[in-house]
Amino acid sequence: MLEKVLVAEDHQNSSKAVTKIIEELAIPLCHYVYYCDDAFTRLKNELNSGRPYDLLVTDISFIEDHRTQQLKSGVELIIAAREIQPQLKVIIFSGEDRTAKIQSYFKDLKVDGYVQKGRTDAIELEKAVEAVAKGQVYMPPGIREKINPSHSHQFTNYDVTVLSLLAEGKKLQEIPDLLVKLNISPSGKSSMEKRLNHIKTVLDFNKNEQLIAFCKDMGII
Amino acid sequence: MLEKVLVAEDHQNSSKAVTKIIEELAIPLCHYVYYCDDAFTRLKNELNSGRPYDLLVTDISFIEDHRTQQLKSGVELIIAAREIQPQLKVIIFSGEDRTAKIQSYFKDLKVDGYVQKGRTDAIELEKAVEAVAKGQVYMPPGIREKINPSHSHQFTNYDVTVLSLLAEGKKLQEIPDLLVKLNISPSGKSSMEKRLNHIKTVLDFNKNEQLIAFCKDMGII
DNA sequence: TAAAATTATACGGAAAACCGTAACAGCTAA
DNA sequence: TTAGCTGTTACGGTTTTCCGTATAATTTTA
């Protein structure tokens, strides 16, 4: 059972509402903070004093203000927190709606839940907390299907690098040199072309412009 | 002075907070609704009964749910509202951070204020309401400068059309035909190329991919 | 360890995009 | 009216991309 929860959320309105939901779920202790650094300090202190938090509920984007922060986003906070307390449960509470981003939170950050801010966030957050309390992973409705539809392509690191270079205005023929310098393989022009062609075939695209637009929409680059 | 305010916001958390701020500004009457259609009905009814609202505070994106709506976004709501009550003051309260979008709200919708959801939204919303009460226009800090930096280009309808076609994977050489069908001028390939070149020169880009990426980031297409 | 399969790269012709030049139309002002 | 300006379009040469094929390198498999 979850007994001690920390909420990191800079959105004045949301944080109180989140806390209220947590309290209604009969969780004894719930604190909230506005800054990532404060969150990390708390996690560390409570861990050291032998009474660690069970769950972290955090936003992703924290608007910058006068206070300079070490940790500038929820992603950095999660990574830092998991370093000192690997078994900490994490639920992300964010407005992000780009599938690729959400997917990467589960895949790369191994978070336990994701709730998208919106009309039904209160209900969903409740479900997410309950699921996580049972040791389950909570995904928003529809995401599981979107993550692997038939016409889809798993973008690798290599793909992202090449596409980013393209989006920066690099010519196809100068990219091989850049890849060599970055120590990325395969670096040959043909291999790169082949890869790009493969992606475009799978997604049924015919031009690089279209692919770039798609990646921007999905948040891949 | 503002005496009667309507808040349209589907975000359970925010709407109450917004209402609270409005009430603290000593505005006698403040109602809130979760759906665009409800907002429009209220505006219409109160207008007909001779006690119209002075100010509408609305979000842009309303998440869809089981209730089918005529008006699906804040933009549609604002247009519909201004049709029946042209002098209605409008403040947008949204998470949108893409400069081009915010710019178009002021330019095309002629809204009186924009407040971005974030850490300081409560303070900003207060300022915005006060400014609008005095008949002023409230823009978020920094936007005025971003709207017209030296290396900037005012994208026209024509530009957006051509760039959208490009982003859809259309070949440069098939676009002239499409433009003719859409009855858009100039439709010649040369004119189009010239225009694209001009944009790329101004923005210091060298490839269409780069331009598409930029437009996606700015929310232009 | 050799054969087979997969992956990386090189090459070259075809297609498309890029870019400068020039012709043409419409408009303005002396 | 005519010279000048602006905007549209056509044309053609150069560069870049696209794409199929062939060869080389690497990994897998028997």
Side-chain angles (χ1 to χ4, degrees):
Chain A
M1 196 49 200
L2 303 171
E3 303 210 330
K4 198 166 169 182
V5 176
L6 182 63
V7 177
E9 161 72 63
D10 69 348
H11 209 292
Q12 295 146 313
N13 305 327
S14 302
S15 56
K16 282 177 208 162
V18 172
T19 311
K20 194 150 166 284
I21 290 164
I22 307 278
E23 280 167 1
E24 280 169 7
L25 286 170
I27 289 170
L29 226 58
C30 178
H31 300 137
Y32 65 91
V33 290
Y34 290 130
Y35 295 88
C36 286
D37 284 358
D38 292 347
F40 185 66
T41 308
R42 282 218 169 204
L43 286 168
K44 201 166 49 182
N45 288 347
E46 298 303 286
L47 181 66
N48 289 340
S49 71
R51 310 183 52 134
Y53 285 101
D54 299 315
L55 169 66
L56 168 68
V57 178
T58 180
D59 195 355
I60 289 298
S61 66
F62 288 76
I63 306 248
E64 283 183 50
D65 64 3
H66 58 284
R67 271 184 61 177
T68 323
Q69 297 286 300
Q70 289 291 320
L71 304 169
K72 299 198 185 223
S73 76
V75 174
E76 292 179 30
L77 170 61
I78 293 169
I79 293 169
R82 282 277 173 77
E83 246 167 56
I84 59 167
Q85 188 181 342
Q87 80 292 2
L88 177 71
K89 302 283 184 190
V90 175
I91 291 175
I92 294 178
F93 182 60
S94 159
E96 180 63 64
D97 62 350
R98 284 169 289 193
T99 311
K101 291 280 179 195
I102 301 178
Q103 178 174 10
S104 100
Y105 298 147
F106 285 103
K107 196 165 140 286
D108 304 327
L109 293 180
K110 313 277 182 215
V111 300
D112 302 278
Y114 184 92
V115 175
Q116 196 192 323
K117 293 182 185 179
R119 197 198 299 280
T120 56
D121 52 19
I123 300 157
E124 279 202 58
L125 189 55
E126 219 176 290
K127 281 193 208 163
V129 173
E130 280 170 355
V132 170
K134 290 187 212 155
Q136 298 167 355
V137 166
Y138 180 84
M139 286 192 183
I143 276 289
R144 222 179 275 271
E145 298 71 50
K146 270 190 195 162
I147 282 178
N148 275 323
S150 57
H151 284 300
S152 106
H153 170 75
Q154 272 295 103
F155 285 83
T156 65
N157 253 356
Y158 175 80
D159 299 338
V160 173
T161 308
V162 172
L163 288 166
S164 301
L165 290 171
L166 262 184
E168 282 166 25
K170 300 288 186 295
K171 287 178 196 160
L172 276 189
Q173 40 187 21
E174 53 188 357
I175 294 185
D177 288 346
L178 295 169
L179 290 178
V180 171
K181 275 179 198 147
L182 290 170
N183 216 13
I184 289 172
S185 148
S187 63
K189 182 156 168 281
S190 297
S191 309
M192 204 180 58
E193 290 180 328
K194 194 174 182 178
R195 182 72 184 161
L196 286 174
N197 272 332
H198 169 249
I199 299 174
K200 281 185 280 187
T201 306
V202 171
L203 295 173
D204 195 27
F205 290 165
N206 34 81
K207 301 227 325 161
N208 285 338
E209 282 92 334
Q210 197 176 7
L211 183 51
I212 296 288
F214 172 79
C215 290
K216 280 289 178 190
D217 282 338
M218 293 289 287
I220 291 165
I221 57 173
Chain B
M1 194 52 198
L2 303 172
E3 304 209 332
K4 197 166 170 183
V5 176
L6 181 63
V7 177
E9 161 73 65
D10 68 348
H11 207 294
Q12 296 145 313
N13 303 327
S14 302
S15 56
K16 282 178 207 163
V18 172
T19 311
K20 195 150 166 281
I21 290 164
I22 307 279
E23 280 167 0
E24 280 168 9
L25 286 169
I27 289 170
L29 226 57
C30 178
H31 301 137
Y32 66 92
V33 290
Y34 291 129
Y35 295 88
C36 286
D37 283 358
D38 292 348
F40 185 67
T41 307
R42 281 220 170 203
L43 286 168
K44 201 167 50 182
N45 288 346
E46 298 303 286
L47 181 66
N48 289 341
S49 71
R51 311 184 52 134
Y53 285 101
D54 301 313
L55 170 67
L56 168 67
V57 178
T58 179
D59 195 354
I60 289 298
S61 66
F62 288 76
I63 305 245
E64 282 183 48
D65 64 3
H66 58 282
R67 271 185 59 175
T68 322
Q69 297 286 301
Q70 289 291 321
L71 304 169
K72 297 194 189 234
S73 76
V75 174
E76 292 179 30
L77 171 60
I78 293 170
I79 292 169
R82 282 276 171 76
E83 244 167 57
I84 59 167
Q85 188 180 343
Q87 80 290 2
L88 176 71
K89 302 282 183 190
V90 175
I91 292 175
I92 294 178
F93 182 58
S94 158
E96 180 62 64
D97 62 350
R98 282 169 292 191
T99 310
K101 290 280 178 192
I102 300 178
Q103 178 175 8
S104 100
Y105 298 147
F106 284 103
K107 195 164 141 288
D108 304 325
L109 293 181
K110 313 276 182 218
V111 300
D112 302 278
Y114 184 91
V115 175
Q116 195 191 324
K117 293 181 185 178
R119 196 197 300 282
T120 57
D121 53 19
I123 300 157
E124 279 200 58
L125 189 56
E126 218 175 292
K127 282 193 207 162
V129 173
E130 280 169 356
V132 170
K134 289 186 211 155
Q136 298 167 355
V137 167
Y138 180 84
M139 285 193 185
I143 275 289
R144 224 178 272 272
E145 298 71 48
K146 270 189 195 161
I147 281 177
N148 275 323
S150 57
H151 283 299
S152 104
H153 170 77
Q154 272 293 105
F155 285 82
T156 66
N157 253 357
Y158 176 79
D159 299 337
V160 173
T161 308
V162 172
L163 288 165
S164 300
L165 289 171
L166 263 184
E168 283 167 23
K170 299 288 187 295
K171 288 179 195 158
L172 275 189
Q173 39 186 23
E174 53 187 358
I175 294 185
D177 287 346
L178 295 170
L179 290 178
V180 171
K181 274 179 199 149
L182 290 169
N183 216 12
I184 290 172
S185 145
S187 64
K189 184 158 166 281
S190 297
S191 308
M192 205 179 58
E193 289 180 329
K194 193 174 183 179
R195 182 72 183 162
L196 287 174
N197 271 332
H198 169 249
I199 300 175
K200 280 185 279 186
T201 306
V202 171
L203 296 174
D204 196 27
F205 291 165
N206 34 84
K207 300 228 323 162
N208 285 339
E209 282 91 334
Q210 194 176 7
L211 183 52
I212 296 289
F214 171 81
C215 291
K216 279 289 178 189
D217 282 339
M218 295 289 286
I220 292 166
I221 58 174

